Amino acid sequence: MISFIVPVFYKDVNSFIFKRALGLIDKFANHPKIEVIIADSSEISNLSTKADNIKIIHTYSGDRVFSPSKARNIAVKAATKKYLFFYDVDMDYSGSFETLLFNEIEEVLENKKSNFIAIPFLYLTKKGTSLFESNKVLELFKNSFLKGENNLVESISLNSSAMVMSKEYFMFIGGFEDFFAGHGGEDYNFIHQLCANNPHSIRNLDYYDDFKTPFIANAKGFRLYMAYYSLPNFFKNLILIHRWHPRPLNNNFYSQRVKNENLLQKKMKAFDLKFKGQIWKSTEPMPKIRDFIIALMQNYNYDPKKYPGFFSYADGVKPIKRPFSNKIRKLITRPGEFFKDIKFIGKLMR
């Protein structure tokens, strides 16, 4: 029914990515409904399996920096199922996820209600990841996030590569841009093209702004517009878990972020100019994000006052104290964000 597309890159068998790839192979081996295509872009591929439903493709290209875009595009060519799910080796999910996913595919994609499904995920803390490994109960982490806590869940991602669509539609859109290498950019660029061809409303005037905030209710720019696709799925429990992992300071993969963010702006604008008059065909006004979230919460019997996670931290909860290496990385790669964070945290601490 569906092919999971999973790009991986690791230096050696001691890498946490390699170990998680082994866990992923064990999880999906001989699954009757899921085909897994692993695009292994490591210089030496050490992954193997006897499972008929898992294909491991060596996609090493000799590039200085790993490109998830290239890996995914190659993996898609090997996929044999009707639908594609762009998955990450750090992702996982609770027991009911597959049933919910297959039902959503049947309801939404098979019935032509939409051309894609956007799936949100929760970034777990180190503590949350350890707990999830022994207790894969989604409600524990979902409720912790909604309550405005951050001891188990660090944040939520409403816009990512975690999307489901038919292989045919993926080819129609044109796949991921190979120009992106390293962390960031390629997923937003792809989502931008999906939004342009499937707009839910008129774009916000600040759409091209790359504005980051820990609370989606304060969102602006393209991150705001894109969030409307996945937010309803959060309340359907169609949620992925992103497990914590270290980010080495000297890893080239993470040092490309600023470059990719600048490239993203150029690519989005160039795409819109190229297809001007053919895309963004919606006359519906965009609902206010706070009203949109509150309506969803009320439909699912969540009191926004008791569950402020989309709007703020709970009383007494302070921002997570980052490791010193994280601060150094941000100062080097994204100095503007570094100094904005200092001002924001200062306000919260007052």
Side-chain angles (χ1 to χ4, degrees), residues 302-317:
Y302 288 101
D303 183 346
K305 293 181 180 180
K306 294 181 179 179
Y307 296 93
F310 281 111
F311 309 96
S312 67
Y313 292 125
D315 291 343
V317 175

Side-chain angles (χ1 to χ4, degrees), residues 25-44:
I25 290 172
D26 289 341
K27 179 182 180 74
F28 292 108
N30 302 310
H31 195 294
K33 292 186 177 181
I34 296 174
E35 173 184 68
V36 179
I37 313 295
I38 298 176
D40 188 345
S41 296
S42 313
E43 186 171 356
I44 299 174

Side-chain angles (χ1 to χ4, degrees), residues 287-317:
K288 293 181 179 179
I289 189 65
R290 285 178 176 267
D291 294 342
F292 188 77
I293 294 171
I294 289 173
L296 284 169
M297 295 185 75
Q298 291 174 341
N299 286 343
Y300 287 86
N301 299 314
Y302 288 101
D303 183 346
K305 293 181 180 180
K306 294 181 179 179
Y307 296 93
F310 281 111
F311 309 96
S312 67
Y313 292 125
D315 291 343
V317 175

Side-chain angles (χ1 to χ4, degrees), residues 12 34 48 96 104 109 119 139 149 161 171 185-186 189 193 203 222-223 233 236 262 267 270 283 289 298 309 327 336:
D12 53 48
I34 296 174
S48 63
S96 63
E104 194 72 6
L109 299 183
I119 300 178
E139 288 299 319
E149 302 168 349
S161 59
M171 301 306 291
E186 88 288 345
N189 185 64
Q193 295 179 24
R203 277 188 298 177
F222 58 82
R223 296 170 189 268
N233 291 328
K236 296 177 184 178
N262 292 333
K267 288 292 181 180
T283 57
I289 189 65
Q298 291 174 341
K327 297 176 182 178

Side-chain angles (χ1 to χ4, degrees), residues 69-89:
S69 294
K70 289 183 179 180
R72 290 189 184 112
N73 288 338
I74 294 171
V76 166
K77 294 178 182 178
T80 64
K81 304 303 180 183
K82 181 176 181 179
Y83 293 108
L84 307 173
F85 183 11
F86 294 98
Y87 197 75
D88 189 279
V89 72

